[in-house]
Amino acid sequence: MKKTLSIFFLVFCCLGILKTQDTTELNSLLMRTTYKIQGDNGSLGTVFLLGKRTHPNSQYSYFVLVTARHVLDGISGDSATIFFRSNEEGVYSTIPYRIAIRNKKRNLYTYHSTADVAALYISTPINADIPLLPYELLSTDQTIKKYNIHPGDELFCLGYPFGYETNPGSFPILRSGKIASYPLTPVSKIKSFLLDFEIFKGNSGGPVYFIQNSRNYNDTIHIGETIQLIMGLVSSEATLEEKVKSLDEERLITHKLNLATIIQAEFIKETIEMLPLKK
């Protein structure tokens, strides 16, 4: 019986299926489901995994890789390396793992037509530590309005600036910043917003999320309630371009504003829902 159960678990992991877990302490759970991706051409980025249920009422989900579209577009060749990690009695180790992102130059990932988002079904290493999270955590117009999320609220972000990682387990760096633009809704019109934090090469694709306990919304302080939402992903650095013209030359100067452009989570949801049905 024990051998049968082991084989059953092996097959499920190879297919990229895992029981969706709860969302207790989202900081740590997202730390464990966010990874560095690297192309053979040195291209860097951040990806995270969410679960797409095998059918609407199932407690099992397929693994879905989520990132900014330009991260995958910028990787040459048909494959990339994701740095998964194992957990042996609390000791984490990195597992470099090759995934296919193209087949004979044909993209295997699905991408949004108007937003910088891509998604891809993937398999994972058998011994990878992955507490898979449901994509129902993604914020919507309704949740943004319900919880009155607004400019000045603090959001958190995970990523790999210049590929930097915290330890041998290849964990991402956690940063935070304030929502720096208005309005946030309707999401169909406001596809992105600004976050007050500086990003670097390698941050693109990282999850941006909201956590707050005992928040005041609808004119009531909800004591003991913890709100946890994935608000979007890092797309790019916001910059200001200035044309400088003199008598003998004209040049363009790019000014860094220390602001990140965040793609709204609704477009992640739409991209995941565009993935073909698994047979």
Side-chain angles (χ1 to χ4, degrees):
M1 181 65 179
K2 190 171 182 180
K3 184 176 180 182
T4 302
L5 287 174
S6 298
I7 294 172
F8 178 76
F9 177 77
L10 175 66
V11 171
F12 259 50
C13 285
C14 288
L15 290 175
I17 303 173
L18 196 66
K19 187 173 181 179
T20 303
Q21 301 192 9
D22 65 30
T23 57
T24 304
E25 217 289 272
L26 190 58
N27 280 302
S28 296
L29 291 175
L30 271 174
M31 271 274 187
R32 292 166 58 197
T33 56
T34 299
Y35 308 94
K36 179 167 64 176
I37 187 169
Q38 185 171 338
D40 293 339
N41 59 342
S43 180
L44 290 170
T46 302
V47 304
F48 58 104
L49 298 190
L50 292 175
K52 182 178 183 181
R53 297 183 189 277
T54 54
H55 58 78
N57 297 320
S58 176
Q59 57 183 331
Y60 291 95
S61 296
Y62 296 112
F63 291 114
V64 176
L65 176 153
V66 175
T67 190
R69 176 187 173 181
H70 78 264
V71 169
L72 299 184
D73 285 350
I75 295 174
S76 62
D78 286 355
S79 61
T81 300
I82 295 182
F83 295 87
F84 286 102
R85 59 189 74 92
S86 63
N87 179 4
E88 298 292 336
E89 299 181 354
V91 178
Y92 289 91
S93 301
T94 304
I95 309 173
Y97 186 75
R98 300 288 284 182
I99 66 162
I101 60 172
R102 297 183 188 89
N103 181 13
K104 297 179 180 178
K105 299 183 179 181
R106 181 180 63 84
N107 290 337
L108 298 177
Y109 51 90
T110 296
Y111 55 84
H112 201 280
S113 60
T114 62
D116 186 19
V117 181
L120 172 70
Y121 289 123
I122 64 167
S123 61
T124 64
I126 296 301
N127 56 337
D129 173 65
I130 307 174
L132 195 62
L133 301 176
Y135 84 105
E136 287 83 359
L137 274 170
L138 296 166
S139 65
T140 63
D141 264 348
Q142 290 71 33
T143 52
I144 291 172
K145 292 175 182 175
K146 175 182 178 180
Y147 299 120
N148 188 29
I149 297 174
H150 56 264
D153 275 335
E154 184 177 34
L155 302 183
F156 302 92
C157 177
L158 296 172
Y160 295 89
F162 295 122
Y164 188 78
E165 51 197 47
T166 58
N167 52 40
S170 297
F171 283 98
I173 308 299
L174 189 152
R175 311 276 299 278
S176 66
K178 301 287 183 67
I179 296 175
S181 60
Y182 180 85
L184 296 178
T185 59
V187 172
S188 60
K189 303 291 185 182
I190 314 298
K191 296 180 180 180
S192 64
F193 60 90
L194 296 178
L195 191 63
D196 183 21
F197 91 106
E198 186 176 9
I199 68 169
F200 304 91
K201 177 184 176 182
N203 278 118
S204 292
V208 176
Y209 59 101
F210 175 83
I211 301 177
Q212 193 174 90
N213 186 50
S214 301
R215 183 172 177 83
N216 185 345
Y217 63 93
N218 295 334
D219 298 321
T220 303
I221 299 177
H222 295 256
I223 302 296
E225 178 185 1
T226 300
I227 301 166
Q228 303 187 125
L229 296 169
I230 297 174
M231 294 291 296
L233 60 77
V234 175
S235 174
S236 62
E237 179 183 27
T239 58
L240 177 65
E241 294 186 339
E242 178 188 12
K243 286 185 178 180
V244 178
K245 188 175 183 180
S246 65
L247 293 175
D248 58 355
E249 69 171 342
E250 183 176 314
R251 56 197 175 97
L252 194 65
I253 299 176
T254 300
H255 299 279
K256 297 181 64 173
L257 301 177
N258 292 346
L259 293 169
T261 300
I262 309 302
I263 300 297
Q264 298 253 34
E266 179 66 32
F267 299 99
I268 300 175
K269 184 171 183 279
E270 290 179 6
T271 306
I272 291 174
E273 290 175 348
M274 288 164 54
L275 289 168
L277 294 175
K278 296 271 266 186
K279 296 180 179 180

